[in-house]
Amino acid sequence: MSREVTIPYELTDWNRMNRREDEAKDAHEHKFVRSLLIKVSSHYGYHTGQIVLLSKLLQPSDEHLTGLYH
């Protein structure tokens, strides 16, 4: 969990993320595994919420998806 990893990026993606023009040698970042796991899990949690919301909006009736109120 405390291991540090290097994440390489394509230069065009890197410059778009940082909104500046860097050299190809700068297109990477160092992150700890634990911070990556937190970032990824919260990112997918956000998408899960989007899926639930869209599923509820697209339901043809007012019934709850699972039959339970939540």
Side-chain angles (χ1 to χ4, degrees), residues 26-54:
D26 298 324
H28 66 277
E29 61 183 348
H30 303 283
K31 296 280 186 180
F32 287 105
V33 171
R34 71 175 163 265
S35 64
L36 289 173
L37 290 174
I38 291 169
K39 188 175 184 176
V40 167
S41 63
S42 63
H43 179 83
Y44 284 120
Y46 180 78
H47 286 304
T48 302
Q50 290 175 322
I51 292 167
V52 169
L53 175 65
L54 289 173

Side-chain angles (χ1 to χ4, degrees), residues 51-64:
I51 292 167
V52 169
L53 175 65
L54 289 173
S55 297
K56 287 181 177 183
L57 290 174
L58 295 174
Q59 281 293 322
S61 69
D62 289 336
E63 288 185 38
H64 297 286

Side-chain angles (χ1 to χ4, degrees), residues 4-6 11-12 14 19-20 24 33 54-55 59:
E4 191 173 33
V5 294
T6 300
L11 183 59
T12 54
W14 177 259
R19 298 187 176 155
R20 61 178 190 242
V33 171
L54 289 173
S55 297
Q59 281 293 322

